[in-house]
Amino acid sequence: MTTNSLIDQAISVLRLNDTGVFTKPGPHQYPHQWNWDSALIALGLSHFDLPRAQAEIRSLLSGQWQDGMLPSVVYHAAPSDYFPNPQFWQIENSASAPRVPTTGITQPPLLATIVRLMHDRQPMPEFLREVYPALLHWHRWLHTARDADGTGLACIIHPWESGTDDSPRWLHLFEAIHPEALPEFQRGDTRYVAATERPNRTEYERFIYLIDVFRKRNYAPAELLQHSPFLAQDVLFNAILFRADEDLRALAVSLQEPAEEIDGWLQTVRSHFDARFWDADAALYYDYDVRAGKRIPVNTASTFLPLFAGLPSEEQARQLVEQHLLNPMEYGRDEDVRHWVTTTAKNEPTWEARRYWRGPVWVIMNWLIFEGLRRYRYDDLAQALRRDTVGLIEGAGFREYYDARDGSGCGSTDFSWSAALLIELTKDR
Ligand code: DGY
């Protein structure tokens, strides 16, 4: 298939999922507007329809809470069979909820990075001036309302905030959570996708239990930080935030806005990042369990995300690439597992080839790692990863994730960010 016809197909997927107000991540499985999906969708759209890309971002920002939080999902007025629905979240009891229905939690803060990428390619000063205050407000909220210990590192209170819901890095935290009384609920996520490709019941029950805890506390940020049974500092989330702070700073400079506050976040986080996350013996970044006060020694692809943020030294980057990314026992390709980068190291006991964030290859992770490799001048490796990722889409279509053994597709079909990133990965390269 030629690159151009693949790009045409990607554009058709984005058009198919376009409701006119926002773009659905997937036509059936995800019928509302998801935060980091929407940022990537805007990036894809910006290649061929900049006004529509800007409209996507405006529509996401319409769900911003008064305290600055940008929620993981904005429901708009679209009725659907998706669970959990706005009636379940009950955000109206919070003092800072917006008018439009949303969830009560956030998601990885990619948006400032995407806005900067778009602006660098095609200057849009007016749009920048319009959205900058909202971006600053969100980042300020992340560095204050979610800073549990003065490190500037943002805590997550729900695995859905990591965007990698059932990643094995969260299993150990789940062991300490015992849902006493679960509210009544009916899962909707296994209606369109096989249950074997979705989170297990034990994990799902804890996802729901946590929402119940939060709604009982009316989503008051200080209370959630103090009482959430799940409290983690996530390498992926904080690497994305650090990179987004750098990009927010660049936007501030181009708008001639003061940047001292952002400089402060960057300095504080940089000075704590390694002490908190880097395990020198394993040469891996591990997530941190805040309640237990210790790292979570599970090897997942999040360990490569600091490359995207420029945080590792050259030596740390070399170790990550040589000891892990290329190691056939962990992430490197071999005869049985022909594609990369699996979201969990293959030698982790919890690795599963087709289950959600337990092992499959995700286009978003590959794009973030591709950008990280380029930042550290591993250009040949980055191009090899780019080709493998495009090949997966060519072989199995725009799927949500892929079985790394044979490249077959899993999860939602016609998945928007796979389409958006296909355009990003193939345009002018
Ligand atoms: C889902 O419904 O699976 C989402 O990941 C939650 O945001």
Side-chain angles (χ1 to χ4, degrees):
M1 198 182 305
T2 66
T3 304
N4 279 350
S5 69
L6 208 51
I7 291 178
D8 286 346
Q9 286 182 21
I11 293 174
S12 306
V13 169
L14 292 177
R15 295 290 193 214
L16 168 81
N17 291 330
D18 185 352
T19 65
V21 177
F22 67 92
T23 306
K24 298 184 256 183
H28 310 293
Q29 184 77 356
Y30 304 104
H32 302 284
Q33 186 175 33
W34 265 257
N35 183 328
W36 68 337
D37 293 78
S38 202
L40 294 170
I41 287 163
L43 182 65
L45 287 168
S46 70
H47 285 284
F48 63 95
D49 189 345
L50 187 61
R52 180 64 192 82
Q54 293 175 340
E56 186 70 28
I57 293 172
R58 271 192 201 102
S59 146
L60 176 64
L61 292 175
S62 74
Q64 186 164 37
W65 285 39
Q66 288 163 42
D67 61 7
M69 183 181 76
L70 200 59
S72 61
V73 180
V74 186
Y75 290 95
H76 298 286
S80 77
D81 54 9
Y82 177 77
F83 177 83
N85 54 22
Q87 291 70 38
F88 192 83
W89 284 95
Q90 297 169 12
I91 61 160
E92 54 283 0
N93 298 332
S94 151
S96 115
R99 289 225 176 86
V100 47
T102 72
T103 59
I105 56 173
T106 192
Q107 242 187 355
L110 258 184
L111 190 58
T113 296
I114 300 301
V115 171
R116 181 184 180 189
L117 278 173
M118 285 166 56
H119 176 68
D120 282 354
R121 289 170 188 172
Q122 209 170 333
M124 38 180 206
E126 274 177 38
F127 182 72
L128 219 57
R129 192 153 289 290
E130 176 190 334
V131 299
Y132 178 78
L135 294 172
L136 180 65
H137 199 196
W138 186 24
H139 283 223
R140 188 178 285 143
W141 179 85
L142 287 165
H143 285 294
T144 52
R146 288 303 182 82
D147 181 358
D149 52 13
T151 56
L153 297 164
C155 289
I156 58 168
I157 57 171
H158 193 295
W160 285 354
E161 293 198 316
S162 74
T164 63
D165 309 4
D166 68 338
S167 169
R169 57 211 179 109
W170 309 134
L171 290 181
H172 149 86
L173 274 79
F174 278 161
E175 280 165 21
I177 302 179
H178 307 286
E180 296 116 27
L182 266 179
E184 262 194 37
F185 72 95
Q186 178 108 46
R187 277 180 82 158
D189 65 309
T190 47
R191 193 174 293 137
Y192 302 107
V193 171
T196 49
E197 296 175 11
R198 294 291 304 173
N200 287 312
R201 186 168 144 211
T202 336
E203 279 91 78
Y204 204 89
E205 284 180 356
R206 279 152 182 81
F207 298 157
I208 298 306
Y209 172 72
L210 287 169
I211 299 174
D212 195 39
V213 170
F214 304 159
R215 65 185 186 179
K216 284 181 178 142
R217 294 189 180 269
N218 296 334
Y219 301 100
E223 284 209 32
L224 301 195
L225 207 54
Q226 206 183 338
H227 298 288
S228 172
F230 181 101
L231 196 68
Q233 285 162 342
D234 170 359
V235 171
L236 174 150
F237 194 103
N238 280 287
I240 287 178
L241 177 57
F242 186 87
R243 166 68 190 263
D245 281 340
E246 282 185 336
D247 294 319
L248 189 69
R249 185 185 192 286
L251 299 181
V253 170
S254 96
L255 288 170
Q256 299 185 311
E257 291 285 336
E260 291 77 15
E261 185 180 9
I262 306 172
D263 282 336
W265 300 333
L266 286 164
Q267 270 165 25
T268 315
V269 170
R270 186 179 275 285
S271 69
H272 287 101
F273 202 88
D274 270 17
R276 178 78 5 135
F277 297 128
W278 178 250
D279 183 311
D281 294 333
L284 287 167
Y285 289 100
Y286 286 140
D287 306 285
Y288 190 78
D289 177 345
V290 179
R291 296 264 181 258
K294 55 183 187 202
R295 294 200 194 107
I296 306 162
V298 179
N299 183 359
T300 69
S302 307
T303 196
F304 303 118
L305 267 283
L307 297 168
F308 177 70
L311 281 158
S313 65
E314 296 287 329
E315 175 56 17
Q316 285 171 311
R318 190 192 62 72
Q319 289 180 307
L320 287 170
V321 169
E322 290 178 12
Q323 293 181 29
H324 304 291
L325 189 61
L326 293 176
N327 177 353
M329 298 289 288
E330 298 185 17
Y331 299 95
R333 288 178 279 188
D334 61 29
E335 274 174 21
D336 298 324
V337 181
R338 303 206 311 269
H339 300 277
W340 65 338
V341 177
T342 55
T343 35
T344 303
K346 292 177 282 179
N347 58 358
E348 277 291 339
T350 44
W351 188 79
E352 282 186 72
R354 297 184 72 84
R355 193 181 297 282
Y356 214 35
W357 288 95
R358 286 291 169 80
V361 174
W362 285 73
V363 176
I364 183 179
M365 292 299 278
N366 281 11
W367 175 69
L368 293 164
I369 297 168
F370 164 78
E371 289 294 346
L373 291 173
R374 290 203 323 153
R375 193 162 178 167
Y376 283 80
R377 298 174 309 285
Y378 286 95
D379 292 331
D380 292 346
L381 209 51
Q383 290 307 329
L385 179 56
R386 189 184 73 81
R387 282 193 298 275
D388 194 46
T389 311
V390 172
L392 279 170
I393 297 173
E394 208 171 355
F398 297 94
R399 298 300 298 267
E400 189 179 0
Y401 38 102
Y402 300 84
D403 184 332
R405 296 169 303 184
D406 59 3
S408 57
C410 316
S412 173
T413 53
D414 296 310
F415 200 64
S416 292
W417 81 23
S418 300
L421 288 173
L422 181 281
I423 302 171
E424 176 66 19
L425 285 166
T426 51
K427 274 257 169 184
D428 311 322
R429 287 190 202 270

